[in-house]
Every structure is written in structure tokens, then in C-alpha cells.
Amino acid sequence: MAVSIDTVYQRVLAILNKENRGYVTPQEFNLFANQAQLEVFEQYFFDLNQYSRLPKNDTEYSDLPKLINEKLSKFKKSASVSYMTDHFHLPSDLHKLGTVIYNNTTPVEQIDKKNLLEYQLSKLTAPTTNNPVYIQSIGNTSNHWGLIVYPTTINANISITYVRKPNEVTWASQAVAGNALYNASGSTDFELHNSEETNLVLKILLYAGVSIKDPNIAQLADAKETKKLTQEKS
């Protein structure tokens, strides 16, 4: 299930044109759409953290952490990571890092770089192949963001679980008689759950209102979005 890029685009245009509020070009729409998708996606993690602190709800269709995890399920991945001179290179589509595993069996603990020396000097916490640790850092010999695993004798057999980024969306068009008509073959839909369609429309309208300098559109979209979030969390 996904949200049609064309459906969202047409709804945004219909609302903007209802009272001759203005026009958003396909290029502007694509920028707004990708920003809106990232905002909705990132909100999942804040909501999951918040809802997980609430008393558990055993109602099948009202278990909010479960619902959010279902929305995130298509973005969850696992991968083996390659060693590159001085670090393990993380996937380019990584958004949130999950578990790091050595040899498919041993969890690798994350530590802060500032605590590394303390870990290394202590007999109780010194990293070993049975008790490895890692820090996230830019590789010393590259600009790639990755993992530096200790002890540094570990240079293979590291795997991770992670949440990938949503693919960028595109509303593509072709010119017909001077008009921009939807080109499905060149377009990319939102990857978010289809229940997010309204959220996406409202967020894009908010950006559009700012772009065309119409505070009424921005205020209306913001008010509706706030009302929707309040209802979801009440």
C-alpha cells in the first residue's frame, strides 16, 4: 500500500485553486512533497517513543505502537556491512541504525567516542571479540559515515538491522498542448502507508501557503494538521 503522488498533487491543486489562491509548479510540489514525506516518516519515531510509555492497549486496532511498527515494517532491513580501510561502511539508504551483530551471534554495544578510552583501559570493559563495542564516526581515510568496531582486529562479519529512508517522490509530467499532464511512467509514489494521504496533503499545503505568500492557506493547513494530531493522541 502506498499513496499516489498524482492523487495528492491533484488534491493540493484543487484546494489552492478553489478560491484562486495560487498555483504550485510541479518542481515546487516535488520539493514540498519530499519534505512532507520525511516529516511524516520522522514523526513515527517520536510517536513510537511517546506511545511506548503509555499503558499497553490490548484492543487489536488501537495498539498505537503496533500500528506505527506496521507502517515502518516495509522500511526495516538487514545487511552485512563491508570493511573499508578503517571502518565498516553503512548503507547509503540508512535512516536509523538498529542492532549491530558480530559473527551472527554476538551483539556489538554502542558507546560514545568520549568514553572509548575509559572502556579500553578498564579490565572489566575492555573490548574483546566476545564483548565488542562500536562508535559511529566518519572514517579517517574517507568521508563515509560508518562504524568503528573495537577491538580493531574485527574487520569482517559485521551485520546490522536498520530502517531505511523512504525513496524520493516525483510527480513527472509531459507537455501536451502547452499543459503539463501526469506521466505515470516517470513518476514515483509516496512509500508511506495510504492512511497518511491527508497528512501529506496538509503538510504540502502548509509549504505552498508560505511559497505563494498566502497566510490563510498556511494557517488553515496548520490548524487542520494540529487538530488531526490532537485527535490521534487524545
Side-chain angles (χ1 to χ4, degrees):
M1 293 184 290
V3 180
S4 165
I5 187 75
D6 189 49
T7 298
V8 172
Y9 183 56
Q10 298 304 331
R11 290 190 177 182
V12 168
L13 289 187
I15 293 171
L16 290 176
N17 293 335
K18 185 176 181 181
E19 298 179 11
N20 297 318
R21 295 285 189 177
Y23 177 73
V24 173
T25 67
Q27 292 79 11
E28 290 174 323
F29 172 81
N30 286 333
L31 289 173
F32 300 156
N34 279 292
Q35 181 61 34
Q37 178 173 241
L38 283 175
E39 283 191 17
V40 173
F41 186 68
E42 188 61 32
Q43 189 64 41
Y44 290 158
F45 302 97
F46 291 107
D47 288 345
L48 192 58
N49 182 52
Q50 179 183 14
Y51 295 148
S52 298
R53 299 177 184 179
L54 299 176
K56 183 174 176 58
N57 189 330
D58 293 326
T59 305
E60 183 177 3
Y61 299 110
S62 300
D63 187 336
L64 296 176
K66 179 182 177 181
L67 293 175
I68 295 174
N69 275 310
E70 286 178 357
K71 292 180 179 181
L72 285 170
S73 61
K74 69 185 296 182
F75 301 99
K76 295 178 179 180
K77 298 181 67 176
S78 59
S80 296
V81 290
S82 301
Y83 190 74
M84 301 177 65
T85 308
D86 60 356
H87 71 289
F88 288 91
H89 183 46
L90 292 173
S92 59
D93 63 349
L94 182 144
H95 184 74
K96 297 280 187 182
L97 181 62
T99 305
V100 179
I101 301 291
Y102 174 54
N103 270 344
N104 296 320
T105 57
T106 305
V108 186
E109 179 188 357
Q110 181 180 14
I111 62 172
D112 290 333
K113 188 174 183 178
K114 64 182 180 181
N115 296 330
L116 177 60
L117 182 60
E118 180 181 338
Y119 268 71
Q120 291 175 316
L121 293 177
S122 170
K123 292 182 179 180
L124 293 176
T125 60
T128 66
T129 53
N130 292 322
N131 187 35
V133 299
Y134 77 89
I135 60 172
Q136 284 188 258
S137 180
I138 299 291
N140 293 329
T141 59
S142 72
N143 292 321
H144 296 298
W145 189 259
L147 308 177
I148 301 178
V149 177
Y150 297 89
T152 54
T153 52
I154 296 176
N155 56 15
N157 301 322
I158 293 291
S159 59
I160 64 170
T161 61
Y162 69 101
V163 177
R164 69 170 177 83
K165 303 172 186 174
N167 292 326
E168 286 197 358
V169 299
T170 304
W171 189 90
S173 62
Q174 54 188 357
V176 177
N179 296 315
L181 297 184
Y182 177 58
N183 178 8
S185 63
S187 298
T188 305
D189 288 333
F190 295 94
E191 287 198 279
L192 301 181
H193 191 274
N194 56 8
S195 64
E196 301 294 357
E197 184 177 302
T198 299
N199 277 342
L200 291 167
V201 170
L202 290 175
K203 286 184 178 296
I204 294 168
L205 280 173
L206 194 153
Y207 289 125
V210 173
S211 176
I212 63 179
K213 298 180 181 180
D214 188 332
N216 293 326
I217 288 291
Q219 289 169 7
L220 177 63
D222 187 48
K224 286 184 175 294
E225 183 181 15
T226 300
K227 180 179 179 181
K228 187 174 186 299
L229 287 173
T230 301
Q231 291 173 336
E232 288 175 350
K233 297 180 179 181
S234 61

